[in-house]
Each structure stands twice: as structure tokens, then as C-alpha cells.
């Protein structure tokens, strides 16, 4: 794979007082590929995604997209190329679903198979956790960005909606998007991922193409 | 989403404005003198509070995804409020 087709996080160091979280992390993300980021609780997965999306600033390290360095302050430039789904909900709870659907008309196709479409008069905080997650993912995918960073897209989501989310992630991959996915539901992640990284002991280790096999060897999957 | 932010900012600023004008006025302040100061302080406090409130509710990533610059929007709304005192002065 050509390096200039990728989003690269290189030599990322991040620490908070008295705790080193990331120590020289390297990660590559390619177009048309789903990359899994696996790690235990508190290993720094969400921190790495926040750094990649410019939500927090690394102590040192660089982000490059297609060979061009993205400076830490240029959020606008960064978000021209990436979409970021944070671990916690990013939608205001007190707006109506219908207003969200008016603002993002293209999400209707994705959410039509769920119950969200029929509850458009409800407010966002009246949706179930899974429906809210699906709505957020639909918004993110409608933005048509080259790289998508998904932090726990399956958490608190029922299996039926997980299947919808997995289908749409695969759809984005087929459109040539590069997707970085992290979740504790390793079964779902390994099912959908083309390759992966393990975040362990403050560093990223490449897992290769057989993510499920590698995770079984390491004891992350039975 | 932009309208949501605009609405929240103006509501917050209005609440702060009321606070900044009522208490000094009750202390026998001069209304024409207090008004521009209350608009300035209400707008500033509204911007800080809105920024903090959206941060606490973790809404800023949505605005980042939509490529809306939060500081630019809050700054523009703050300056839009500062136009109220001179406009009123011209009208009165």
C-alpha cells in the first residue's frame, strides 16, 4: 500500500501528571480498509482517537493525511478529511429527531430500517441508546469524509442495530473510506475489520490481517 | 445545529444580561450608563458559559464534524450583541 494514501499517526506521546498513556504510538489507516484498535480498559484507545481528531493535543507526535502534516491547531483542516464519532453522545438531547433529519436528509435511508424514522417527533434524549448511536453514525457517514474514527460504535447497542451499523460501516469501506474502529465488543470488531492494532503497554502493535486469529492467540477472544 | 448554538448563546447571554443590569440598577445605578456594560458583560459571560456547557455535554465534536468553528461563531455572536447599545442610542 502506498504511504500517501493513508492517514498516519506517528510517534504519539501523551501523558497526564503521574501517568504516561501513550509512548511513541504509530498507526496507519488506509482508504477502503477497516482498521481495528483493540486494547484493555484504560489502555488509551479513546485518547488516541481524541488526539487523531484534534480534541486533545498530544505532548508530541504528528498526524499526516495523504503525506501532508496536519497541524494540531487546524481543526477545520483536519475535519475536512475526517469524521469522528466520540465515545459519548455528541447530539444535543433537547432537539427533535425531525430537526436532525431535516438538517441531514441523506440519513433517512440508513435509519429507515430502525424505529427512529417513526419516532421523528421525539427528542433525541427520548431515543434508546442504540437508536441514538445509529443516528449519530448516520450523520457522520452522511458527511462524506475520507477517514472515519469510530470510538465504541457498538456500546449499548442491541444486536439488530449492531448489524445495521456493521452493514453501513462496510458500505463506507466499499466507497473507499478509511475506517478506524475501536470497541470492547471484540467479536463484532474482528468480524468487520481488515487489519488491526493492539494498544498494549502504551504502544501500538500491528495485528496483521487475521484480527480474530490474533485476538484468540492473545486471549482477547475465545 | 448552528441555530441550536445561536439560540443557546442568546438565551444564556440574556440571562446574564438581566443579572448584570438588575442588581446594579437596584443599587441605584444609572440605567443608560449600565446598559452597554451589562450587554458587554452578559455577552462575555454568555459566551464563556455556552462554551463550558457545550464542553460539559460533549457537544463540540458535532460542531467540529460539521466544520463550524466554535470560537468564530461565539465571537461573532458576542460582537452582534455589542451592536445593540449603539443602535438603541441612535433610535432613542
Amino acid at each position: 500500500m502506498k504511504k500517501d494514501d493513508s492517514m498516519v499517526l506517528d510517534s504519539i506521546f501523551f501523558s497526564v501528571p503521574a501517568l504516561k498513556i501513550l509512548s511513541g504510538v504509530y498507526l496507519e489507516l488506509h482508504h477502503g480498509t477497516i482498521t481495528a484498535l483493540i486494547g484493555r480498559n484504560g489502555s488509551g484507545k479513546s485518547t488516541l482517537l481524541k488526539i487523531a481528531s484534534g480534541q486533545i493535543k498530544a505532548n508530541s507526535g504528528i498526524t499526516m493525511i495523504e503525506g501532508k502534516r496536519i497541524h494540531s491547531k487546524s481543526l477545520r483542516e483536519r475535519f475536512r478529511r475526517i469524521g469522528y464519532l466520540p465515545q459519548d453522545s455528541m447530539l444535543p438531547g433537547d432537539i427533535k429527531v425531525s430537526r436532525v433529519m431535516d438538517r441531514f436528509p441523506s440519513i433517512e435511508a440508513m435509519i429507515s430500517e430502525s424505529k427512529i424514522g417513526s419516532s421523528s417527533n421525539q427528542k433525541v434524549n427520548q431515543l434508546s441508546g442504540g437508536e441514538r448511536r445509529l443516528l449519530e453514525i448516520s450523520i457522520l457517514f452522511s458527511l462524506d469524509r475520507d477517514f472515519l474514527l469510530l470510538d465504541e460504535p457498538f456500546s449499548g447497542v442491541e444486536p439488530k442495530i449492531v448489524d445495521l451499523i456493521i452493514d453501513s460501516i462496510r458500505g463506507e469501506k466499499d466507497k473507499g473510506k478509511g475506517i478506524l474502529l475501536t470497541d470492547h465488543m471484540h467479536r463484532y470488531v474482528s468480524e468487520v475489520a481488515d487489519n488491526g492494532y493492539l494498544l498494549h503497554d502504551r504502544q501500538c502493535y500491528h495485528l496483521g490481517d487475521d484480527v480474530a486469529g490474533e485476538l484468540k492467540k492473545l486471549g482477547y477472544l475465545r | 445545529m448552528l441555530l441550536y448554538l445561536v439560540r443557546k448563546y442568546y438565551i444564556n447571554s440574556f440571562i446574564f444580561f438581566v443579572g448584570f443590569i438588575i442588581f446594579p440598577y437596584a443599587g441605584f445605578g444609572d440605567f443608560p450608563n449600565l446598559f452597554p456594560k451589562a450587554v458587554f458583560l452578559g455577552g462575555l459571560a454568555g459566551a464563556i458559559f455556552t462554551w463550558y456547557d457545550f464542553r460539559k455535554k460533549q457537544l463540540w465534536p458535532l460542531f467540529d464534524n460539521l466544520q463550524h468553528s466554535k470560537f468564530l461563531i461565539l465571537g461573532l455572536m458576542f460582537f452582534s450583541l455589542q451592536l445593540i447599545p449603539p443602535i438603541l442610542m441612535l433610535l432613542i
Side-chain angles (χ1 to χ4, degrees):
Chain A
M1 280 183 224
K2 283 192 291 179
K3 276 243 171 9
D4 58 4
D5 274 354
S6 59
M7 176 173 177
V8 176
L9 299 171
D10 195 1
S11 309
I12 304 290
F13 285 81
F14 183 76
S15 59
V16 290
L19 183 65
K20 273 187 186 174
I21 296 173
L22 302 169
S23 187
V25 165
Y26 179 87
L27 188 146
E28 267 182 39
L29 189 58
H30 295 274
H31 284 293
T33 307
I34 301 172
T35 303
L37 180 62
I38 306 286
R40 304 259 183 225
N41 281 327
S43 58
K45 302 182 299 297
S46 293
T47 304
L48 187 59
L49 262 69
K50 280 180 186 171
I51 289 169
S53 63
Q55 303 298 303
I56 54 174
K57 194 175 178 295
N59 300 121
S60 65
I62 58 171
T63 306
M64 288 197 297
I65 296 180
E66 293 175 355
K68 191 182 170 199
R69 186 172 175 181
I70 307 292
H71 292 279
S72 56
K73 284 181 182 169
S74 56
L75 270 182
R76 201 174 165 81
E77 190 187 341
R78 196 176 288 252
F79 276 92
R80 204 171 289 148
R81 308 300 308 278
I82 68 162
Y84 167 60
L85 178 78
Q87 193 174 358
D88 300 299
S89 178
M90 61 177 176
L91 276 178
D94 55 348
I95 55 168
K96 279 193 174 179
V97 175
S98 55
R99 289 196 72 175
V100 176
M101 288 168 73
D102 289 345
R103 171 68 178 80
F104 305 99
S106 57
I107 67 174
E108 205 160 337
M110 188 174 160
I111 62 172
S112 59
E113 287 181 52
S114 72
K115 286 185 288 178
I116 303 173
S118 59
S119 51
S120 58
N121 276 329
Q122 283 184 325
K123 287 188 173 175
V124 168
N125 59 11
Q126 291 170 321
L127 294 175
S128 71
E131 288 170 339
R132 193 167 171 161
R133 208 66 179 147
L134 180 63
L135 188 61
E136 289 172 333
I137 291 169
S138 315
I139 291 171
L140 201 68
F141 289 177
S142 75
L143 298 175
D144 197 27
R145 301 287 151 78
D146 296 331
F147 295 98
L148 299 162
L149 314 174
L150 309 179
D151 196 352
E152 300 199 8
F154 311 128
S155 68
V157 180
E158 65 173 64
K160 199 180 164 192
I161 296 183
V162 167
D163 289 341
L164 283 175
I165 294 174
I166 286 178
D167 286 347
S168 16
I169 290 174
R170 286 199 174 118
E172 292 303 302
K173 175 197 158 181
D174 293 342
K175 287 181 200 164
K177 308 289 167 69
I179 298 160
L180 180 63
L181 177 66
T182 178
D183 204 289
H184 289 290
M185 309 290 268
H186 294 149
R187 193 168 60 83
Y188 295 131
V189 174
S190 59
E191 184 188 323
V192 78
D194 299 309
N195 62 50
Y197 288 88
L198 175 70
L199 194 51
H200 176 72
D201 205 13
R202 302 187 292 277
Q203 299 231 334
C204 255
Y205 300 94
H206 193 234
L207 288 174
D209 297 341
D210 181 18
V211 178
E214 292 287 336
L215 289 179
K216 275 179 193 164
K217 268 191 237 168
L218 294 162
Y220 282 79
L221 267 183
R222 282 186 200 162
Chain B
M1 293 305 140
L2 204 55
L3 286 178
Y4 178 82
L5 172 60
V6 169
R7 188 164 56 95
K8 288 283 174 186
Y9 171 75
Y10 285 128
I11 291 170
N12 291 334
S13 297
F14 180 73
I15 293 167
F16 281 108
F17 163 79
V18 170
F20 281 118
I21 203 150
I22 280 182
F23 292 111
Y25 188 63
F28 306 104
D30 174 29
F31 189 84
N33 192 26
L34 282 174
F35 185 77
K37 286 178 190 165
V39 170
F40 178 83
L41 291 172
L44 189 63
I48 294 167
F49 180 82
T50 307
W51 181 83
Y52 179 76
D53 187 45
F54 274 48
R55 185 168 175 258
K56 198 175 77 180
K57 292 175 181 162
Q58 307 196 40
L59 303 180
W60 287 129
L62 176 64
F63 290 84
D64 290 335
N65 275 315
L66 299 175
Q67 294 180 280
H68 296 327
S69 168
K70 45 193 174 258
F71 295 112
L72 183 68
I73 297 165
L74 287 173
L76 286 174
M77 288 191 295
F78 170 76
F79 283 112
S80 73
L81 280 185
Q82 305 317 305
L83 297 174
I84 295 173
I87 290 171
L88 279 180
M89 291 288 278
L90 286 173
L91 292 175
I92 297 170

